[in-house]
PDB file of all heavy atoms in Angstrom:
ATOM      1  N   GLU A  82       6.235  17.176  41.985  1.00 91.00           N
ATOM      2  CA  GLU A  82       6.523  18.415  42.704  1.00 91.00           C
ATOM      3  C   GLU A  82       6.010  18.344  44.137  1.00 91.00           C
ATOM      4  O   GLU A  82       6.663  18.832  45.085  1.00 91.00           O
ATOM      5  CB  GLU A  82       5.901  19.612  41.975  1.00 91.00           C
ATOM      6  CG  GLU A  82       6.531  19.942  40.641  1.00 91.00           C
ATOM      7  CD  GLU A  82       7.970  20.234  40.746  1.00 91.00           C
ATOM      8  OE1 GLU A  82       8.414  20.985  41.694  1.00 91.00           O
ATOM      9  OE2 GLU A  82       8.777  19.713  39.908  1.00 91.00           O
ATOM     10  N   GLU A  83       4.854  17.735  44.312  1.00 88.00           N
ATOM     11  CA  GLU A  83       4.314  17.542  45.674  1.00 88.00           C
ATOM     12  C   GLU A  83       5.184  16.696  46.529  1.00 88.00           C
ATOM     13  O   GLU A  83       5.337  16.978  47.705  1.00 88.00           O
ATOM     14  CB  GLU A  83       2.874  16.972  45.600  1.00 88.00           C
ATOM     15  CG  GLU A  83       1.860  17.924  45.076  1.00 88.00           C
ATOM     16  CD  GLU A  83       0.480  17.226  44.947  1.00 88.00           C
ATOM     17  OE1 GLU A  83       0.272  16.145  45.508  1.00 88.00           O
ATOM     18  OE2 GLU A  83      -0.385  17.853  44.268  1.00 88.00           O
ATOM     19  N   LEU A  84       5.759  15.686  45.929  1.00 87.00           N
ATOM     20  CA  LEU A  84       6.638  14.751  46.660  1.00 87.00           C
ATOM     21  C   LEU A  84       7.880  15.441  47.175  1.00 87.00           C
ATOM     22  O   LEU A  84       8.385  15.144  48.269  1.00 87.00           O
ATOM     23  CB  LEU A  84       7.075  13.572  45.737  1.00 87.00           C
ATOM     24  CG  LEU A  84       6.026  12.464  45.600  1.00 87.00           C
ATOM     25  CD1 LEU A  84       6.531  11.465  44.528  1.00 87.00           C
ATOM     26  CD2 LEU A  84       5.744  11.751  46.916  1.00 87.00           C
ATOM     27  N   LYS A  85       8.340  16.464  46.455  1.00 89.00           N
ATOM     28  CA  LYS A  85       9.517  17.242  46.916  1.00 89.00           C
ATOM     29  C   LYS A  85       9.223  17.961  48.210  1.00 89.00           C
ATOM     30  O   LYS A  85      10.152  18.206  48.976  1.00 89.00           O
ATOM     31  CB  LYS A  85       9.971  18.178  45.819  1.00 89.00           C
ATOM     32  CG  LYS A  85      10.596  17.532  44.604  1.00 89.00           C
ATOM     33  CD  LYS A  85      10.920  18.586  43.546  1.00 89.00           C
ATOM     34  CE  LYS A  85      11.453  17.948  42.296  1.00 89.00           C
ATOM     35  NZ  LYS A  85      11.737  18.987  41.307  1.00 89.00           N
ATOM     36  N   LEU A  86       7.979  18.328  48.406  1.00 88.00           N
ATOM     37  CA  LEU A  86       7.611  19.100  49.564  1.00 88.00           C
ATOM     38  C   LEU A  86       7.203  18.271  50.778  1.00 88.00           C
ATOM     39  O   LEU A  86       7.147  18.712  51.913  1.00 88.00           O
ATOM     40  CB  LEU A  86       6.358  19.994  49.256  1.00 88.00           C
ATOM     41  CG  LEU A  86       6.555  21.000  48.113  1.00 88.00           C
ATOM     42  CD1 LEU A  86       5.268  21.738  47.777  1.00 88.00           C
ATOM     43  CD2 LEU A  86       7.662  22.008  48.434  1.00 88.00           C
ATOM     44  N   LEU A  87       6.992  16.954  50.518  1.00 88.00           N
ATOM     45  CA  LEU A  87       6.645  16.033  51.640  1.00 88.00           C
ATOM     46  C   LEU A  87       7.839  15.325  52.212  1.00 88.00           C
ATOM     47  O   LEU A  87       8.887  15.114  51.493  1.00 88.00           O
ATOM     48  CB  LEU A  87       5.624  15.014  51.143  1.00 88.00           C
ATOM     49  CG  LEU A  87       4.239  15.590  50.634  1.00 88.00           C
ATOM     50  CD1 LEU A  87       3.479  14.485  50.049  1.00 88.00           C
ATOM     51  CD2 LEU A  87       3.498  16.205  51.802  1.00 88.00           C
ATOM     52  N   LYS A  88       7.741  14.928  53.425  1.00 90.00           N
ATOM     53  CA  LYS A  88       8.781  14.179  54.068  1.00 90.00           C
ATOM     54  C   LYS A  88       8.666  12.722  53.746  1.00 90.00           C
ATOM     55  O   LYS A  88       7.593  12.098  53.818  1.00 90.00           O
ATOM     56  CB  LYS A  88       8.679  14.361  55.644  1.00 90.00           C
ATOM     57  CG  LYS A  88       9.819  13.728  56.329  1.00 90.00           C
ATOM     58  CD  LYS A  88       9.686  14.087  57.871  1.00 90.00           C
ATOM     59  CE  LYS A  88      10.843  13.416  58.574  1.00 90.00           C
ATOM     60  NZ  LYS A  88      10.801  13.604  59.976  1.00 90.00           N
ATOM     61  N   GLN A  89       9.842  12.108  53.301  1.00 91.00           N
ATOM     62  CA  GLN A  89       9.829  10.670  52.972  1.00 91.00           C
ATOM     63  C   GLN A  89       9.402   9.825  54.124  1.00 91.00           C
ATOM     64  O   GLN A  89       9.697  10.105  55.284  1.00 91.00           O
ATOM     65  CB  GLN A  89      11.221  10.267  52.503  1.00 91.00           C
ATOM     66  CG  GLN A  89      11.591  10.744  51.149  1.00 91.00           C
ATOM     67  CD  GLN A  89      12.888  10.084  50.612  1.00 91.00           C
ATOM     68  OE1 GLN A  89      13.540   9.324  51.362  1.00 91.00           O
ATOM     69  NE2 GLN A  89      13.245  10.417  49.453  1.00 91.00           N
ATOM     70  N   GLY A  90       8.640   8.742  53.764  1.00 89.00           N
ATOM     71  CA  GLY A  90       8.211   7.762  54.774  1.00 89.00           C
ATOM     72  C   GLY A  90       6.886   8.105  55.450  1.00 89.00           C
ATOM     73  O   GLY A  90       6.268   7.263  56.113  1.00 89.00           O
ATOM     74  N   THR A  91       6.373   9.347  55.287  1.00 91.00           N
ATOM     75  CA  THR A  91       5.117   9.729  55.911  1.00 91.00           C
ATOM     76  C   THR A  91       4.029   9.056  55.100  1.00 91.00           C
ATOM     77  O   THR A  91       4.144   8.764  53.938  1.00 91.00           O
ATOM     78  CB  THR A  91       4.895  11.223  55.964  1.00 91.00           C
ATOM     79  OG1 THR A  91       4.870  11.680  54.639  1.00 91.00           O
ATOM     80  CG2 THR A  91       5.983  11.989  56.692  1.00 91.00           C
ATOM     81  N   PRO A  92       2.872   8.817  55.710  1.00 92.00           N
ATOM     82  CA  PRO A  92       1.727   8.214  55.009  1.00 92.00           C
ATOM     83  C   PRO A  92       1.357   8.983  53.772  1.00 92.00           C
ATOM     84  O   PRO A  92       0.982   8.439  52.728  1.00 92.00           O
ATOM     85  CB  PRO A  92       0.590   8.219  56.057  1.00 92.00           C
ATOM     86  CG  PRO A  92       1.263   8.272  57.365  1.00 92.00           C
ATOM     87  CD  PRO A  92       2.516   8.993  57.192  1.00 92.00           C
ATOM     88  N   GLU A  93       1.380  10.302  53.838  1.00 93.00           N
ATOM     89  CA  GLU A  93       0.971  11.175  52.746  1.00 93.00           C
ATOM     90  C   GLU A  93       2.008  11.008  51.605  1.00 93.00           C
ATOM     91  O   GLU A  93       1.677  10.910  50.455  1.00 93.00           O
ATOM     92  CB  GLU A  93       0.942  12.694  53.136  1.00 93.00           C
ATOM     93  CG  GLU A  93       0.540  13.595  52.078  1.00 93.00           C
ATOM     94  CD  GLU A  93      -0.849  13.409  51.519  1.00 93.00           C
ATOM     95  OE1 GLU A  93      -1.771  12.831  52.235  1.00 93.00           O
ATOM     96  OE2 GLU A  93      -1.148  13.791  50.346  1.00 93.00           O
ATOM     97  N   TYR A  94       3.297  10.903  51.929  1.00 89.00           N
ATOM     98  CA  TYR A  94       4.346  10.738  50.929  1.00 89.00           C
ATOM     99  C   TYR A  94       4.164   9.351  50.224  1.00 89.00           C
ATOM    100  O   TYR A  94       4.281   9.258  48.970  1.00 89.00           O
ATOM    101  CB  TYR A  94       5.753  10.760  51.610  1.00 89.00           C
ATOM    102  CG  TYR A  94       6.894  10.694  50.615  1.00 89.00           C
ATOM    103  CD1 TYR A  94       7.424  11.831  50.037  1.00 89.00           C
ATOM    104  CD2 TYR A  94       7.441   9.445  50.182  1.00 89.00           C
ATOM    105  CE1 TYR A  94       8.439  11.798  49.128  1.00 89.00           C
ATOM    106  CE2 TYR A  94       8.453   9.402  49.345  1.00 89.00           C
ATOM    107  CZ  TYR A  94       8.959  10.530  48.775  1.00 89.00           C
ATOM    108  OH  TYR A  94      10.021  10.480  47.849  1.00 89.00           O
ATOM    109  N   ILE A  95       3.921   8.323  51.001  1.00 91.00           N
ATOM    110  CA  ILE A  95       3.677   6.997  50.461  1.00 91.00           C
ATOM    111  C   ILE A  95       2.492   6.966  49.540  1.00 91.00           C
ATOM    112  O   ILE A  95       2.528   6.337  48.450  1.00 91.00           O
ATOM    113  CB  ILE A  95       3.573   5.947  51.615  1.00 91.00           C
ATOM    114  CG1 ILE A  95       4.898   5.839  52.333  1.00 91.00           C
ATOM    115  CG2 ILE A  95       3.163   4.610  51.075  1.00 91.00           C
ATOM    116  CD1 ILE A  95       4.860   5.023  53.579  1.00 91.00           C
ATOM    117  N   LYS A  96       1.428   7.626  49.932  1.00 93.00           N
ATOM    118  CA  LYS A  96       0.209   7.696  49.093  1.00 93.00           C
ATOM    119  C   LYS A  96       0.512   8.408  47.783  1.00 93.00           C
ATOM    120  O   LYS A  96       0.145   7.928  46.722  1.00 93.00           O
ATOM    121  CB  LYS A  96      -0.938   8.384  49.795  1.00 93.00           C
ATOM    122  CG  LYS A  96      -2.187   8.413  48.933  1.00 93.00           C
ATOM    123  CD  LYS A  96      -3.312   9.162  49.568  1.00 93.00           C
ATOM    124  CE  LYS A  96      -4.570   9.207  48.761  1.00 93.00           C
ATOM    125  NZ  LYS A  96      -4.421   9.193  47.359  1.00 93.00           N
ATOM    126  N   ARG A  97       1.213   9.531  47.773  1.00 92.00           N
ATOM    127  CA  ARG A  97       1.492  10.327  46.608  1.00 92.00           C
ATOM    128  C   ARG A  97       2.489   9.561  45.702  1.00 92.00           C
ATOM    129  O   ARG A  97       2.428   9.614  44.494  1.00 92.00           O
ATOM    130  CB  ARG A  97       2.046  11.707  46.943  1.00 92.00           C
ATOM    131  CG  ARG A  97       1.110  12.618  47.671  1.00 92.00           C
ATOM    132  CD  ARG A  97      -0.270  12.680  47.148  1.00 92.00           C
ATOM    133  NE  ARG A  97      -0.304  13.565  45.890  1.00 92.00           N
ATOM    134  CZ  ARG A  97      -1.231  13.523  44.943  1.00 92.00           C
ATOM    135  NH1 ARG A  97      -2.253  12.730  45.041  1.00 92.00           N
ATOM    136  NH2 ARG A  97      -1.114  14.343  43.904  1.00 92.00           N
ATOM    137  N   GLU A  98       3.435   8.791  46.361  1.00 91.00           N
ATOM    138  CA  GLU A  98       4.328   7.999  45.604  1.00 91.00           C
ATOM    139  C   GLU A  98       3.572   6.906  44.847  1.00 91.00           C
ATOM    140  O   GLU A  98       3.875   6.578  43.695  1.00 91.00           O
ATOM    141  CB  GLU A  98       5.341   7.340  46.568  1.00 91.00           C
ATOM    142  CG  GLU A  98       6.653   6.890  45.980  1.00 91.00           C
ATOM    143  CD  GLU A  98       7.652   6.476  47.044  1.00 91.00           C
ATOM    144  OE1 GLU A  98       7.223   5.780  47.953  1.00 91.00           O
ATOM    145  OE2 GLU A  98       8.819   6.790  46.842  1.00 91.00           O
ATOM    146  N   SER A  99       2.567   6.272  45.538  1.00 93.00           N
ATOM    147  CA  SER A  99       1.744   5.294  44.884  1.00 93.00           C
ATOM    148  C   SER A  99       0.922   5.920  43.738  1.00 93.00           C
ATOM    149  O   SER A  99       0.820   5.315  42.636  1.00 93.00           O
ATOM    150  CB  SER A  99       0.779   4.683  45.936  1.00 93.00           C
ATOM    151  OG  SER A  99      -0.111   3.837  45.314  1.00 93.00           O
TER     152      SER A  99
END
Side-chain angles (χ1 to χ4, degrees):
E82 291 303 315
E83 289 175 16
L84 280 173
K85 289 178 184 176
L86 302 174
L87 297 173
K88 186 175 179 183
Q89 283 189 359
T91 62
E93 183 63 22
Y94 185 90
I95 293 170
K96 182 183 179 327
R97 297 311 284 160
E98 201 174 41
S99 175

